[in-house]
Amino acid sequence: MKKLLVVLLAVLGLTLNANALSFRSTQSVCNGTEQIIFYSNGNFTMFDDGVKALSGTYTIDRTTGTSVIVLFLEGDNEIRVTYTPSNTGGIRSMTFRGTRYSPCSR
């Protein structure tokens, strides 16, 4: 019985970590000269024409029924960004400040 309980707790812990609010691999989206990189450790960086413009942490909010990335900037500023997930769990497209971003490899 104790083994079953330990295994059940381990599985629940892995399930909670699987929903652990960040992408499993680095995601990079672009629009023109802007690029936003979401790292699997929960950090993000935004570049404009190769110059770092914003950075902070992020989480993925799956509680609303809509795919939302919550960006946390310095000073407790929070920005909610909607995105369309890809079949692999990454980003297919994202809208930030009225601008559509798509995956890129730069």
Side-chain angles (χ1 to χ4, degrees):
M1 184 67 166
K2 286 183 181 180
K3 281 185 177 182
L4 179 61
L5 184 59
V6 169
V7 169
L8 181 60
L9 289 174
V11 168
L12 284 174
L14 288 174
T15 301
L16 291 174
N17 285 338
N19 294 324
L21 315 172
S22 63
F23 294 108
R24 292 183 181 173
S25 63
T26 298
Q27 303 292 309
S28 179
V29 292
C30 297
N31 179 292
T33 62
E34 295 180 358
Q35 178 184 24
I36 305 173
I37 302 172
F38 296 97
Y39 302 98
S40 60
N41 66 1
N43 293 320
F44 80 93
T45 305
M46 180 178 186
F47 297 92
D48 188 2
D49 205 16
V51 177
K52 183 177 172 181
L54 291 174
S55 65
T57 60
Y58 75 94
T59 61
I60 299 171
D61 181 359
R62 294 187 176 115
T63 62
T64 63
T66 303
S67 298
V68 174
I69 302 170
V70 183
L71 305 175
F72 298 99
L73 308 170
E74 292 181 25
D76 293 330
N77 292 322
E78 177 183 309
I79 300 171
R80 299 179 68 81
V81 179
T82 59
Y83 77 100
T84 303
S86 68
N87 294 336
T88 60
I91 300 174
R92 179 179 303 165
S93 68
M94 181 185 94
T95 303
F96 177 59
R97 298 179 302 175
T99 303
R100 185 170 184 258
Y101 290 76
S102 301
C104 60
S105 60
R106 53 178 151 145

